[in-house]
Amino acid sequence: YNTASPPAKAHFPKTSRQLPQAIIVGVRKCGTRALLEMLFLHPQIQKAAGEVHFFDRDDNYSKGLEWYRKKMPYSFKGQVTIEKSPSYFVTPEVPERIFAMNASVRLLVIVREPVTRAISDYAQLRSHASSTPSPPTSSFSSSSSSSSSSSSSPSMSPVSSNNVNSFQSPNSSTSTSLQQQQPQQQQQQRSFDELAIRSDGTINESYRPIAISIYHMHMYRWLEVFERRQILIVNGDQLIDDPVPQLKRIESFLRLESHIGRHNFYFNHTKGFYCMRSDSEEKCLKESKGRRHPRVSPMVVSKLRRFFSEHNRKFYDLVGEDLGWPE
Ligand code: A3P
């Protein structure tokens, strides 16, 4: 898709731009784009083009709600406006800012098995790094040391200077900065195995793809601000395997009539994913969605699965749902 183009359904008479009543707040690489595009199959849903990044970027947030509203698509009365910006999930200021806009907003958090998500994140960072010119120096230090990340890099979540994006688990004394990372280009010359596991054999929790996958460390902040019933946890692995049941759950969560069904999907064997079908067209997501993942050693995968099992349980407890991820 060309996500930058305005929505095809724009600006009929009796339409207006509305602040979103529902937001996909993350998680990055869990199928946020697929989810938004699939929901757009519903005639009662309008989606913002691109990612708006209003609540997580101070320079956008300071422009105010009118600026944000103008980024929204035209909609008819009764339609639901949705936007998605995956870095909202990990940015500490965002829950309160969204609450200040609309205390009864509905939030969608799409998650995926955390080790797969971390590898997908690595694959994206690596692919972006390889499409930008190399830095002049090739020397670099260990990934947990902290030269600051290049904020102009296209694949790092954008955060402005006073948005430190550090988070602290309610259950641990370790504060991890999502920004304090090596320049991404230097990191991405290294394998996932090297970046995820330190030379002493411990898990590199400060490596951003790992840190984002520790869902409970971010999720608790949302539950400090919003009622649990305002947040729907969407199973991103199931959205890949069989999208319709997840979409039905969302229709009911958004109090919409059931509309999206099997007729809206066909499996594209070349892509290896479901593609969408509406009255007017058939669409697959672009190539960067559904990338080939790099090889990761089975030992690293099982080490990470063990590491995540405790964190996953904390996440299940927090949200009151067991997602059944392998241990
Ligand atoms: P991979 O590229 O690792 O497979 P996001 O949009 O949040 O960046 O998520 C990208 C992920 O969406 C992809 O990760 C892919 O697995 C997943 N996805 C879910 N449904 C998809 C679909 N129908 N087509 C393509 N990718 C899909």
Side-chain angles (χ1 to χ4, degrees), residues 222-284:
W222 294 88
L223 292 166
E224 281 177 352
V225 175
F226 290 99
E227 287 182 38
R228 177 65 187 85
R229 62 181 176 81
Q230 286 176 263
I231 306 174
L232 188 75
I233 306 294
V234 179
N235 187 321
D237 299 297
Q238 286 178 14
L239 193 81
I240 293 173
D241 292 343
D242 186 13
V244 174
Q246 290 302 305
L247 296 165
K248 295 255 169 250
R249 284 179 71 219
I250 300 167
E251 286 175 332
S252 124
F253 175 70
L254 297 178
R255 301 198 192 101
L256 295 173
E257 273 176 30
S258 175
H259 182 90
I260 304 170
R262 302 229 167 261
H263 62 282
N264 290 119
F265 297 95
Y266 65 97
F267 193 78
N268 182 315
H269 290 275
T270 314
K271 185 163 176 67
F273 285 87
Y274 279 99
C275 296
M276 286 157 268
R277 177 183 287 140
S278 64
D279 294 343
S280 53
E281 58 186 348
E282 291 189 348
K283 273 186 185 174
C284 296

Side-chain angles (χ1 to χ4, degrees), residues 27-34 38 84 86 112 116 120 124 236 239-240 271 273-276 285-286 288-291 293:
V27 179
R28 172 186 158 87
K29 303 321 295 170
C30 291
T32 55
R33 172 56 56 189
M38 289 173 182
K84 77 111 175 168
R112 218 171 147 190
T116 313
S120 172
Q124 168 149 320
L239 193 81
I240 293 173
K271 185 163 176 67
F273 285 87
Y274 279 99
C275 296
M276 286 157 268
L285 296 190
K286 61 186 182 183
S288 61
K289 304 297 178 182
R291 282 194 182 92
H293 286 188

